[in-house]
Amino acid sequence: SVQLLVSIDPSINFDPQQTVFVALVANAGPPMPLAARKLRAGDLPIQISLSDVDAVMPGHNLSSAKEFKAIARLSQTGSATPQSGDWEVSTGAIQLGFHPENIELRIATQRP
């Protein structure tokens, strides 16, 4: 499992009911998440754990990847598909099993 600390930069105005999507995606390969969770913006900051239990597709899970990247996105529309105007954060490649105890994801960059 991967421990994530998810927060929204205090400079961002948001509705507490807005949806935040948190996902672990294979560094190489299809963009379908290996593990994902849907949160409410008003519940952040929050520490969560993502693992094979949070897999989106059977057989396409976290333990099947060598490297992944962590993504958190504050959706403006509620859609899981990234949209212009959404706020997000993404890490670089992280090797499974060799990552920090907590990966910090602070949502602070707006998609063009």
Side-chain angles (χ1 to χ4, degrees):
S1 73
V2 176
Q3 304 294 319
L4 303 164
L5 180 58
V6 185
S7 64
I8 300 173
D9 191 275
S11 67
I12 298 171
N13 289 324
F14 63 92
D15 181 332
Q17 298 302 319
Q18 275 181 269
T19 302
V20 174
F21 294 97
V22 181
L24 302 178
V25 179
N27 193 48
M32 176 63 70
L34 301 165
R37 180 107 32 101
K38 183 176 166 181
L39 306 170
R40 225 176 42 88
D43 293 335
L44 274 58
I46 191 170
Q47 183 171 341
I48 63 169
S49 176
L50 291 180
S51 68
D52 286 349
V53 174
D54 302 292
V56 177
M57 283 178 36
H60 185 71
N61 52 30
L62 184 59
S63 61
S64 68
K66 291 183 180 177
E67 288 186 334
F68 65 91
K69 56 186 173 184
I71 300 167
R73 188 168 43 79
L74 174 65
S75 175
Q76 298 296 334
T77 63
S79 171
T81 304
Q83 307 286 320
S84 177
D86 287 351
W87 292 88
E88 65 186 2
V89 62
S90 178
T91 67
I94 300 170
Q95 194 171 6
L96 189 62
F98 296 95
H99 50 80
E101 188 171 314
N102 285 306
I103 298 170
E104 290 191 37
L105 296 173
R106 179 183 288 259
I107 298 168
T109 304
Q110 193 167 31
R111 291 179 68 87

